[in-house]
Every structure is written in structure tokens, then in C-alpha cells.
Amino acid sequence: MDIRPSADLRNHYNEISKQCRETREPVIITVNGRGDTVILGIQEYQQMVAELRLLRTLAEADDDVLNGRIRPAGEAFADIRAVLEARKYE
């Protein structure tokens, strides 16, 4: 990771933006020598958000299993089919 002072963000934005896109690595911006902000390319941000959503979904599913909130897959798919069929006729 690259660490840069906030002045670089003002004075070298295009360079920092290009670096984030090309290296696919974040750049940390500091204020008074302390980490303040992270600059991240949009692709990496979107990937990170997608992975976080997936991890949250998996954690919820794990919690459901641990707490016995499960049922046979056939029943669940039958319910889904019924809902989709009902929507066809709305």
C-alpha cells in the first residue's frame, strides 16, 4: 500500500487515481501524519462490497443452521415455485 499526505491528493489526484486503477491497490491519505482516508479504485470497491454482502449472507445462513432454522430443500423450492407461479397471474 502507498501512503501519501493529503496535499498529494490535491496536487496529484490524476496520478493517484491512475495508480489505484492500474495497481488495483488502495492508497492511504494521511492528515498530520496519521491515516485519514483510503482511496480505492471503483472495481476494487465494488468487489469488496460484493464480498462483504456474500459473507454477511453466509453468516446469516450459518446462524440459521446453528439455531435450527432449516427445512428440507424440496420444501423451500416448492414454496419458491408457488410464489413465482402466483406472480405470473397477478
Coordinates of all heavy atoms in Angstrom, one line a residue:
M1 N 0.8 -1.2 0.0 CA 0.0 0.0 0.0 C 0.9 1.3 0.0 O 1.9 1.3 0.7 CB -0.9 0.0 1.2 CG -2.2 -0.6 1.0 SD -3.4 -0.4 2.3 CE -2.8 -1.6 3.4
D2 N 0.4 2.2 -0.7 CA 1.1 3.5 -0.8 C 0.4 4.4 0.2 O -0.8 4.5 0.4 CB 0.9 4.1 -2.2 CG 1.8 5.2 -2.5 OD1 2.7 5.5 -1.7 OD2 1.6 5.9 -3.5
I3 N 1.3 5.2 1.0 CA 0.8 6.2 1.9 C 1.3 7.5 1.5 O 2.4 7.8 1.2 CB 1.3 5.8 3.3 CG1 0.9 4.4 3.8 CG2 0.9 6.9 4.3 CD1 1.5 3.9 5.0
R4 N 0.3 8.5 1.4 CA 0.6 9.8 0.9 C -0.1 10.9 1.8 O -1.1 10.7 2.3 CB 0.1 10.0 -0.5 CG 0.8 9.1 -1.5 CD 0.1 9.2 -2.9 NE 1.0 8.7 -3.9 CZ 1.3 9.3 -5.0 NH1 0.9 10.5 -5.2 NH2 2.0 8.7 -5.9
P5 N 0.5 12.0 1.8 CA -0.1 13.1 2.6 C -1.3 13.7 1.8 O -1.4 13.6 0.6 CB 1.0 14.2 2.7 CG 1.9 13.9 1.6 CD 1.8 12.4 1.3
S6 N -2.2 14.4 2.5 CA -3.4 14.9 1.9 C -3.0 15.9 0.8 O -3.8 16.0 -0.2 CB -4.3 15.5 2.9 OG -3.6 16.6 3.6
A7 N -1.9 16.6 0.9 CA -1.5 17.6 -0.2 C -1.4 16.8 -1.5 O -1.7 17.4 -2.5 CB -0.2 18.3 0.2
D8 N -0.9 15.6 -1.5 CA -0.8 14.8 -2.7 C -2.1 14.6 -3.4 O -2.2 14.6 -4.6 CB -0.1 13.5 -2.5 CG 1.4 13.6 -2.4 OD1 1.9 14.7 -2.4 OD2 2.1 12.5 -2.4
L9 N -3.1 14.4 -2.6 CA -4.5 14.2 -3.2 C -4.9 15.5 -3.9 O -5.5 15.4 -5.0 CB -5.5 13.9 -2.0 CG -6.9 13.5 -2.5 CD1 -6.8 12.3 -3.5 CD2 -7.7 13.2 -1.3
R10 N -4.6 16.6 -3.3 CA -5.0 17.9 -4.0 C -4.1 18.1 -5.3 O -4.6 18.5 -6.3 CB -4.8 19.1 -3.1 CG -5.9 19.2 -2.1 CD -5.7 20.5 -1.3 NE -4.4 20.7 -0.7 CZ -4.1 20.3 0.5 NH1 -4.9 19.7 1.2 NH2 -2.9 20.5 1.0
N11 N -2.8 17.9 -5.1 CA -1.9 18.2 -6.1 C -1.6 17.1 -7.2 O -1.1 17.4 -8.3 CB -0.5 18.6 -5.5 CG -0.7 19.8 -4.6 OD1 -1.5 20.7 -4.8 ND2 0.0 19.8 -3.5
H12 N -1.9 15.9 -6.9 CA -1.6 14.8 -7.8 C -2.7 13.8 -7.9 O -2.5 12.6 -8.0 CB -0.3 14.0 -7.3 CG 0.9 14.9 -7.1 ND1 1.6 15.3 -8.2 CD2 1.4 15.4 -6.0 CE1 2.6 16.1 -7.7 NE2 2.5 16.2 -6.4
Y13 N -4.0 14.3 -7.9 CA -5.1 13.4 -8.0 C -5.1 12.5 -9.2 O -5.3 11.3 -9.0 CB -6.4 14.2 -8.0 CG -7.6 13.3 -8.2 CD1 -8.1 12.6 -7.2 CD2 -8.1 13.1 -9.5 CE1 -9.2 11.7 -7.4 CE2 -9.2 12.2 -9.7 CZ -9.7 11.5 -8.6 OH -10.7 10.6 -8.8
N14 N -4.8 13.0 -10.4 CA -4.8 12.1 -11.6 C -3.8 11.0 -11.4 O -4.1 9.8 -11.8 CB -4.5 12.9 -12.8 CG -5.7 13.8 -13.2 OD1 -6.8 13.6 -12.8 ND2 -5.4 14.9 -13.9
E15 N -2.6 11.3 -10.9 CA -1.6 10.3 -10.7 C -2.1 9.2 -9.7 O -1.9 8.0 -9.9 CB -0.3 10.9 -10.1 CG 0.8 10.0 -9.8 CD 1.9 10.7 -9.1 OE1 2.2 11.9 -9.5 OE2 2.5 10.1 -8.2
I16 N -2.7 9.6 -8.6 CA -3.2 8.7 -7.6 C -4.3 7.9 -8.1 O -4.4 6.6 -7.9 CB -3.6 9.5 -6.3 CG1 -2.4 10.1 -5.6 CG2 -4.4 8.5 -5.3 CD1 -2.7 11.0 -4.5
S17 N -5.2 8.5 -8.9 CA -6.3 7.8 -9.5 C -5.8 6.7 -10.4 O -6.3 5.5 -10.4 CB -7.3 8.8 -10.2 OG -8.3 8.1 -10.9
K18 N -4.9 7.1 -11.3 CA -4.3 6.1 -12.2 C -3.6 5.0 -11.5 O -3.8 3.8 -11.9 CB -3.3 6.9 -13.1 CG -2.7 6.0 -14.2 CD -1.7 6.8 -15.1 CE -1.0 5.9 -16.1 NZ -0.1 6.6 -16.9
Q19 N -2.9 5.3 -10.5 CA -2.2 4.3 -9.7 C -3.2 3.3 -9.1 O -3.0 2.1 -9.2 CB -1.4 4.9 -8.6 CG -0.7 4.0 -7.7 CD 0.1 4.7 -6.5 OE1 0.4 5.8 -6.6 NE2 0.3 3.9 -5.5
C20 N -4.3 3.8 -8.5 CA -5.3 2.9 -8.0 C -5.9 2.0 -9.0 O -6.1 0.8 -8.8 CB -6.4 3.7 -7.3 SG -6.0 4.5 -5.8
R21 N -6.2 2.5 -10.2 CA -6.7 1.7 -11.3 C -5.8 0.7 -11.8 O -6.1 -0.5 -12.0 CB -7.2 2.6 -12.4 CG -8.5 3.4 -12.2 CD -9.0 4.0 -13.4 NE -8.0 4.7 -14.2 CZ -7.6 6.0 -14.1 NH1 -8.2 6.7 -13.1 NH2 -6.7 6.5 -14.8
E22 N -4.5 1.1 -12.0 CA -3.5 0.2 -12.6 C -3.0 -0.9 -11.6 O -2.8 -2.0 -12.0 CB -2.4 1.0 -13.1 CG -2.7 1.8 -14.4 CD -1.6 2.6 -14.9 OE1 -0.5 2.7 -14.3 OE2 -1.8 3.2 -16.0
T23 N -2.8 -0.5 -10.4 CA -2.2 -1.5 -9.4 C -3.3 -2.3 -8.7 O -3.0 -3.3 -8.1 CB -1.4 -0.8 -8.3 OG1 -2.2 0.1 -7.5 CG2 -0.2 0.0 -9.0
R24 N -4.5 -1.7 -8.7 CA -5.7 -2.3 -8.0 C -5.4 -2.4 -6.5 O -5.9 -3.2 -5.8 CB -6.0 -3.7 -8.6 CG -6.4 -3.5 -10.1 CD -6.8 -4.8 -10.6 NE -8.2 -5.1 -10.1 CZ -9.1 -5.7 -10.8 NH1 -8.9 -6.1 -12.0 NH2 -10.3 -5.9 -10.2
E25 N -4.6 -1.5 -6.0 CA -4.2 -1.4 -4.6 C -4.7 0.0 -4.0 O -4.7 1.0 -4.8 CB -2.7 -1.5 -4.4 CG -2.1 -2.8 -4.7 CD -2.5 -3.9 -3.8 OE1 -2.7 -3.6 -2.6 OE2 -2.7 -5.1 -4.2
P26 N -5.1 0.0 -2.8 CA -5.5 1.2 -2.2 C -4.4 2.2 -1.9 O -3.2 1.7 -1.8 CB -6.2 0.8 -0.9 CG -5.6 -0.5 -0.5 CD -5.2 -1.1 -1.9
V27 N -4.7 3.5 -1.8 CA -3.7 4.5 -1.4 C -4.3 5.1 -0.1 O -5.4 5.5 0.0 CB -3.5 5.5 -2.5 CG1 -2.6 6.7 -2.0 CG2 -3.0 4.9 -3.7
I28 N -3.4 5.1 0.9 CA -3.8 5.7 2.2 C -3.4 7.2 2.2 O -2.3 7.5 1.9 CB -3.2 5.0 3.4 CG1 -3.7 3.6 3.4 CG2 -3.5 5.8 4.7 CD1 -3.0 2.7 4.5
I29 N -4.4 8.1 2.5 CA -4.1 9.5 2.6 C -4.0 9.9 4.1 O -4.9 9.5 4.9 CB -5.2 10.3 2.0 CG1 -5.4 9.9 0.5 CG2 -5.0 11.8 2.1 CD1 -4.2 10.1 -0.4
T30 N -2.9 10.6 4.4 CA -2.7 11.0 5.8 C -3.0 12.5 6.0 O -2.9 13.3 5.1 CB -1.3 10.7 6.3 OG1 -0.4 11.5 5.5 CG2 -0.9 9.2 6.1
V31 N -3.4 12.8 7.2 CA -3.5 14.2 7.7 C -2.7 14.3 8.9 O -2.9 13.6 9.9 CB -5.0 14.6 7.9 CG1 -5.1 16.0 8.5 CG2 -5.8 14.5 6.6
N32 N -1.8 15.2 8.9 CA -0.9 15.4 10.1 C -0.2 14.1 10.5 O 0.0 13.8 11.7 CB -1.6 16.0 11.3 CG -2.2 17.4 11.0 OD1 -1.6 18.2 10.3 ND2 -3.4 17.7 11.5
G33 N 0.2 13.3 9.5 CA 1.0 12.1 9.7 C 0.2 10.9 10.1 O 0.7 9.9 10.4
R34 N -1.1 11.0 10.2 CA -2.0 9.9 10.6 C -2.9 9.5 9.5 O -3.5 10.4 8.8 CB -2.8 10.3 11.9 CG -2.0 10.5 13.1 CD -2.8 10.8 14.3 NE -2.0 10.9 15.4 CZ -2.4 10.8 16.6 NH1 -3.6 10.5 16.9 NH2 -1.5 10.9 17.6
G35 N -3.2 8.2 9.4 CA -4.1 7.7 8.4 C -5.5 8.4 8.5 O -6.0 8.5 9.6
D36 N -6.0 8.8 7.4 CA -7.3 9.5 7.5 C -8.3 8.9 6.5 O -9.5 8.8 6.8 CB -7.1 11.0 7.1 CG -8.4 11.8 7.2 OD1 -8.9 12.0 8.3 OD2 -8.8 12.2 6.1
T37 N -7.9 8.7 5.3 CA -8.8 8.2 4.2 C -8.1 7.2 3.3 O -6.8 7.2 3.2 CB -9.1 9.5 3.3 OG1 -9.6 10.5 4.1 CG2 -10.1 9.1 2.2
V38 N -8.9 6.3 2.7 CA -8.3 5.3 1.8 C -9.0 5.6 0.5 O -10.2 5.7 0.3 CB -8.6 3.9 2.3 CG1 -8.1 2.9 1.2 CG2 -8.0 3.6 3.6
I39 N -8.1 5.7 -0.6 CA -8.6 5.8 -1.9 C -8.5 4.5 -2.6 O -7.5 3.8 -2.5 CB -7.7 6.8 -2.7 CG1 -7.6 8.2 -2.0 CG2 -8.2 7.0 -4.2 CD1 -8.9 8.9 -1.9
L40 N -9.6 4.1 -3.2 CA -9.7 2.7 -3.8 C -10.3 2.8 -5.2 O -11.3 3.6 -5.3 CB -10.6 1.9 -2.9 CG -10.7 0.4 -3.0 CD1 -9.3 -0.2 -2.8 CD2 -11.6 -0.2 -2.0
G41 N -9.8 2.1 -6.1 CA -10.5 2.1 -7.5 C -11.9 1.5 -7.4 O -12.2 0.7 -6.5
I42 N -12.7 2.0 -8.3 CA -14.1 1.6 -8.3 C -14.3 0.0 -8.4 O -15.2 -0.5 -7.7 CB -15.0 2.3 -9.3 CG1 -16.5 2.1 -9.1 CG2 -14.6 1.9 -10.7 CD1 -17.0 2.8 -8.0
Q43 N -13.5 -0.6 -9.2 CA -13.6 -2.1 -9.4 C -13.3 -2.8 -8.0 O -14.1 -3.7 -7.7 CB -12.7 -2.6 -10.4 CG -13.1 -2.2 -11.8 CD -12.1 -2.7 -12.9 OE1 -10.9 -2.8 -12.6 NE2 -12.7 -3.1 -14.0
E44 N -12.3 -2.3 -7.4 CA -12.0 -3.0 -6.1 C -13.0 -2.7 -5.1 O -13.4 -3.6 -4.3 CB -10.6 -2.5 -5.6 CG -9.4 -3.1 -6.3 CD -9.4 -2.7 -7.8 OE1 -9.6 -1.5 -8.1 OE2 -9.3 -3.6 -8.6
Y45 N -13.6 -1.5 -5.1 CA -14.6 -1.1 -4.1 C -15.8 -2.0 -4.4 O -16.4 -2.6 -3.4 CB -15.0 0.3 -4.3 CG -16.2 0.7 -3.5 CD1 -16.2 0.8 -2.1 CD2 -17.5 0.8 -4.1 CE1 -17.3 1.1 -1.3 CE2 -18.6 1.1 -3.3 CZ -18.5 1.3 -2.0 OH -19.6 1.5 -1.2
Q46 N -16.3 -2.2 -5.6 CA -17.4 -3.0 -5.9 C -17.2 -4.4 -5.6 O -18.1 -5.1 -5.0 CB -17.8 -2.8 -7.4 CG -18.3 -1.5 -7.7 CD -18.5 -1.2 -9.2 OE1 -17.8 -1.8 -10.1 NE2 -19.4 -0.3 -9.6
Q47 N -16.0 -4.9 -5.8 CA -15.6 -6.3 -5.4 C -15.7 -6.5 -3.9 O -16.2 -7.5 -3.4 CB -14.3 -6.7 -5.9 CG -13.7 -8.0 -5.4 CD -13.6 -9.0 -6.5 OE1 -13.7 -8.8 -7.6 NE2 -13.6 -10.3 -6.0
M48 N -15.2 -5.5 -3.2 CA -15.2 -5.6 -1.7 C -16.6 -5.6 -1.2 O -16.9 -6.4 -0.3 CB -14.4 -4.4 -1.2 CG -14.2 -4.4 0.3 SD -13.2 -3.0 0.9 CE -14.2 -1.6 0.5
V49 N -17.4 -4.7 -1.8 CA -18.8 -4.7 -1.3 C -19.5 -6.0 -1.6 O -20.3 -6.5 -0.8 CB -19.6 -3.5 -2.0 CG1 -21.1 -3.6 -1.7 CG2 -19.0 -2.2 -1.4
A50 N -19.3 -6.6 -2.8 CA -19.9 -7.8 -3.2 C -19.5 -8.9 -2.2 O -20.3 -9.8 -1.7 CB -19.6 -8.2 -4.6
E51 N -18.2 -9.0 -1.9 CA -17.7 -10.0 -1.0 C -18.2 -9.8 0.4 O -18.6 -10.8 1.1 CB -16.1 -10.0 -1.0 CG -15.5 -10.5 -2.2 CD -14.0 -10.3 -2.3 OE1 -13.4 -9.8 -1.3 OE2 -13.4 -10.6 -3.3
L52 N -18.4 -8.6 0.8 CA -18.9 -8.3 2.2 C -20.4 -8.8 2.2 O -20.8 -9.4 3.2 CB -18.8 -6.8 2.5 CG -19.3 -6.4 3.9 CD1 -18.5 -7.2 5.0 CD2 -19.0 -4.9 4.1
R53 N -21.1 -8.5 1.2 CA -22.5 -9.0 1.2 C -22.6 -10.5 1.2 O -23.5 -11.0 1.9 CB -23.2 -8.4 -0.1 CG -23.6 -7.0 0.0 CD -24.3 -6.5 -1.2 NE -24.6 -5.1 -1.2 CZ -24.5 -4.3 -2.2 NH1 -24.3 -4.7 -3.4 NH2 -24.8 -3.0 -2.1
L54 N -21.8 -11.1 0.4 CA -21.7 -12.6 0.4 C -21.4 -13.1 1.8 O -22.1 -14.0 2.3 CB -20.8 -13.1 -0.6 CG -20.6 -14.6 -0.7 CD1 -21.9 -15.3 -0.9 CD2 -19.5 -15.0 -1.7
L55 N -20.4 -12.5 2.5 CA -20.0 -13.0 3.8 C -21.1 -12.8 4.8 O -21.4 -13.7 5.7 CB -18.7 -12.3 4.3 CG -17.5 -12.7 3.6 CD1 -16.3 -11.8 3.9 CD2 -17.1 -14.2 3.9
R56 N -21.8 -11.7 4.7 CA -23.0 -11.5 5.6 C -24.1 -12.5 5.4 O -24.7 -13.0 6.3 CB -23.5 -10.1 5.4 CG -22.7 -9.0 6.0 CD -23.3 -7.6 5.8 NE -22.4 -6.6 6.4 CZ -22.4 -5.3 6.0 NH1 -23.2 -4.9 5.0 NH2 -21.6 -4.5 6.6
T57 N -24.3 -12.8 4.1 CA -25.4 -13.8 3.8 C -25.0 -15.2 4.3 O -25.8 -15.9 4.9 CB -25.6 -13.9 2.3 OG1 -26.0 -12.6 1.8 CG2 -26.6 -14.9 1.9
L58 N -23.7 -15.5 4.1 CA -23.2 -16.8 4.6 C -23.3 -16.9 6.2 O -23.6 -17.9 6.7 CB -21.8 -17.1 4.1 CG -21.6 -17.3 2.6 CD1 -20.2 -17.4 2.3 CD2 -22.4 -18.6 2.2
A59 N -22.9 -15.8 6.8 CA -23.0 -15.7 8.3 C -24.5 -15.9 8.8 O -24.7 -16.6 9.7 CB -22.4 -14.4 8.8
E60 N -25.4 -15.3 8.1 CA -26.8 -15.4 8.4 C -27.2 -16.9 8.2 O -28.0 -17.5 9.0 CB -27.7 -14.5 7.6 CG -27.6 -13.1 7.9 CD -28.3 -12.2 6.9 OE1 -29.1 -12.7 6.1 OE2 -28.1 -10.9 7.0
A61 N -26.8 -17.5 7.1 CA -27.1 -18.9 6.8 C -26.5 -19.8 7.9 O -27.2 -20.7 8.4 CB -26.7 -19.3 5.5
D62 N -25.3 -19.5 8.3 CA -24.7 -20.3 9.3 C -25.4 -20.2 10.6 O -25.7 -21.2 11.4 CB -23.2 -19.8 9.5 CG -22.4 -20.8 10.4 OD1 -22.5 -22.0 10.2 OD2 -21.6 -20.3 11.2
D63 N -25.9 -19.0 11.0 CA -26.7 -18.8 12.2 C -28.0 -19.5 12.1 O -28.4 -20.1 13.1 CB -26.9 -17.3 12.4 CG -27.6 -17.0 13.7 OD1 -27.1 -17.3 14.7 OD2 -28.8 -16.4 13.6
D64 N -28.6 -19.5 10.9 CA -29.9 -20.3 10.8 C -29.6 -21.8 11.0 O -30.4 -22.4 11.7 CB -30.4 -20.1 9.4 CG -31.0 -18.7 9.2 OD1 -31.3 -18.0 10.2 OD2 -31.2 -18.4 8.0
V65 N -28.6 -22.3 10.5 CA -28.2 -23.7 10.7 C -28.0 -24.0 12.2 O -28.5 -25.0 12.8 CB -27.0 -24.2 9.9 CG1 -26.6 -25.6 10.2 CG2 -27.4 -24.1 8.4
L66 N -27.2 -23.2 12.8 CA -26.8 -23.4 14.2 C -28.1 -23.3 15.1 O -28.1 -23.9 16.2 CB -25.8 -22.3 14.7 CG -24.4 -22.5 14.1 CD1 -23.5 -21.3 14.5 CD2 -23.8 -23.8 14.6
N67 N -29.1 -22.5 14.7 CA -30.3 -22.3 15.6 C -31.5 -23.1 15.1 O -32.6 -22.9 15.5 CB -30.6 -20.8 15.6 CG -29.6 -20.1 16.5 OD1 -29.5 -20.3 17.7 ND2 -28.8 -19.2 15.8
G68 N -31.2 -24.1 14.2 CA -32.2 -25.0 13.8 C -33.3 -24.4 12.8 O -34.4 -25.0 12.7
R69 N -33.0 -23.3 12.2 CA -34.0 -22.6 11.3 C -33.7 -23.1 9.9 O -33.3 -22.4 9.0 CB -33.9 -21.1 11.4 CG -34.3 -20.6 12.8 CD -34.3 -19.0 12.8 NE -33.0 -18.4 12.4 CZ -32.1 -18.0 13.3 NH1 -32.3 -18.1 14.6 NH2 -31.0 -17.5 12.9
I70 N -34.0 -24.4 9.7 CA -33.7 -25.1 8.4 C -34.9 -25.9 8.1 O -35.7 -26.3 8.9 CB -32.4 -25.9 8.4 CG1 -32.5 -27.0 9.5 CG2 -31.2 -25.0 8.6 CD1 -31.3 -27.9 9.5
R71 N -35.0 -26.3 6.8 CA -36.0 -27.3 6.4 C -35.5 -27.9 5.1 O -34.6 -27.4 4.4 CB -37.4 -26.6 6.2 CG -37.4 -25.5 5.1 CD -38.7 -24.8 5.2 NE -38.7 -23.8 4.2 CZ -39.8 -23.5 3.5 NH1 -40.9 -24.2 3.6 NH2 -39.8 -22.5 2.6
P72 N -36.1 -29.0 4.7 CA -35.6 -29.7 3.5 C -35.7 -28.8 2.3 O -36.6 -28.0 2.1 CB -36.6 -30.9 3.4 CG -37.1 -31.1 4.7 CD -37.2 -29.7 5.4
A73 N -34.7 -28.9 1.4 CA -34.6 -28.1 0.2 C -35.8 -28.2 -0.7 O -36.3 -27.2 -1.2 CB -33.3 -28.4 -0.6
G74 N -36.3 -29.4 -0.8 CA -37.5 -29.6 -1.6 C -38.7 -28.8 -1.2 O -39.4 -28.2 -2.0
E75 N -38.9 -28.6 0.1 CA -40.0 -27.8 0.6 C -39.7 -26.3 0.3 O -40.7 -25.6 -0.1 CB -40.1 -27.9 2.1 CG -40.7 -29.2 2.6 CD -40.8 -29.2 4.1 OE1 -40.7 -28.2 4.8 OE2 -40.8 -30.4 4.7
A76 N -38.5 -25.9 0.5 CA -38.2 -24.5 0.2 C -38.4 -24.2 -1.3 O -39.0 -23.1 -1.6 CB -36.7 -24.2 0.6
F77 N -37.9 -25.0 -2.2 CA -38.1 -24.8 -3.6 C -39.5 -24.9 -4.0 O -40.0 -24.1 -4.9 CB -37.2 -25.8 -4.4 CG -35.8 -25.4 -4.4 CD1 -34.8 -26.3 -3.9 CD2 -35.3 -24.2 -4.9 CE1 -33.5 -26.0 -3.9 CE2 -34.0 -23.9 -4.9 CZ -33.0 -24.8 -4.4
A78 N -40.3 -25.7 -3.4 CA -41.7 -25.8 -3.7 C -42.4 -24.5 -3.3 O -43.3 -24.0 -4.1 CB -42.4 -27.0 -3.0
D79 N -42.1 -23.9 -2.2 CA -42.6 -22.6 -1.8 C -42.2 -21.5 -2.8 O -43.0 -20.6 -3.1 CB -42.2 -22.2 -0.4 CG -42.8 -23.1 0.7 OD1 -43.8 -23.8 0.4 OD2 -42.4 -23.0 1.9
I80 N -41.0 -21.5 -3.2 CA -40.5 -20.5 -4.2 C -41.3 -20.7 -5.5 O -41.7 -19.7 -6.1 CB -39.0 -20.6 -4.4 CG1 -38.2 -20.2 -3.1 CG2 -38.5 -19.8 -5.6 CD1 -36.8 -20.6 -3.1
R81 N -41.4 -21.9 -5.9 CA -42.2 -22.1 -7.2 C -43.6 -21.6 -7.1 O -44.1 -21.0 -8.0 CB -42.2 -23.6 -7.5 CG -41.0 -24.1 -8.2 CD -41.1 -25.5 -8.7 NE -39.8 -26.1 -8.8 CZ -39.2 -26.8 -7.8 NH1 -39.8 -27.1 -6.7 NH2 -38.0 -27.3 -8.0
A82 N -44.2 -21.8 -5.9 CA -45.6 -21.4 -5.7 C -45.7 -19.9 -5.8 O -46.6 -19.3 -6.4 CB -46.1 -21.9 -4.4
V83 N -44.7 -19.2 -5.1 CA -44.7 -17.7 -5.2 C -44.6 -17.2 -6.6 O -45.3 -16.3 -7.0 CB -43.6 -17.2 -4.2 CG1 -43.4 -15.7 -4.5 CG2 -44.0 -17.4 -2.8
L84 N -43.6 -17.8 -7.3 CA -43.4 -17.4 -8.7 C -44.6 -17.7 -9.6 O -45.0 -16.8 -10.5 CB -42.1 -18.1 -9.3 CG -40.8 -17.7 -8.6 CD1 -39.7 -18.6 -9.2 CD2 -40.5 -16.2 -8.9
E85 N -45.3 -18.8 -9.4 CA -46.5 -19.1 -10.2 C -47.6 -18.1 -9.9 O -48.3 -17.6 -10.7 CB -46.9 -20.5 -9.9 CG -46.1 -21.6 -10.5 CD -46.3 -21.5 -12.1 OE1 -47.4 -21.3 -12.6 OE2 -45.2 -21.7 -12.7
A86 N -47.7 -17.7 -8.6 CA -48.8 -16.7 -8.2 C -48.5 -15.4 -8.8 O -49.4 -14.7 -9.2 CB -48.8 -16.6 -6.7
R87 N -47.2 -15.0 -9.0 CA -46.9 -13.7 -9.6 C -47.2 -13.7 -11.1 O -47.5 -12.6 -11.6 CB -45.4 -13.4 -9.4 CG -45.1 -13.0 -8.0 CD -43.7 -12.6 -7.8 NE -43.3 -12.3 -6.5 CZ -42.2 -12.0 -6.0 NH1 -41.1 -11.9 -6.9 NH2 -42.0 -11.7 -4.8
K88 N -47.2 -14.9 -11.7 CA -47.5 -14.9 -13.2 C -48.9 -14.4 -13.4 O -49.2 -13.9 -14.5 CB -47.4 -16.4 -13.7 CG -46.0 -16.8 -14.0 CD -46.1 -18.2 -14.6 CE -44.8 -18.8 -14.9 NZ -44.9 -20.1 -15.5
Y89 N -49.8 -14.7 -12.5 CA -51.2 -14.4 -12.7 C -51.7 -13.1 -12.1 O -52.9 -12.8 -12.0 CB -52.0 -15.6 -12.2 CG -51.6 -16.9 -12.9 CD1 -50.9 -17.9 -12.2 CD2 -51.9 -17.0 -14.3 CE1 -50.5 -19.0 -12.9 CE2 -51.5 -18.2 -14.9 CZ -50.8 -19.2 -14.2 OH -50.4 -20.3 -14.9
E90 N -50.7 -12.3 -11.6 CA -51.1 -11.0 -11.0 C -51.4 -10.0 -12.0 O -50.9 -9.9 -13.0 CB -50.1 -10.5 -10.0 CG -50.0 -11.4 -8.7 CD -49.0 -10.9 -7.7 OE1 -48.2 -10.0 -8.1 OE2 -48.9 -11.4 -6.6

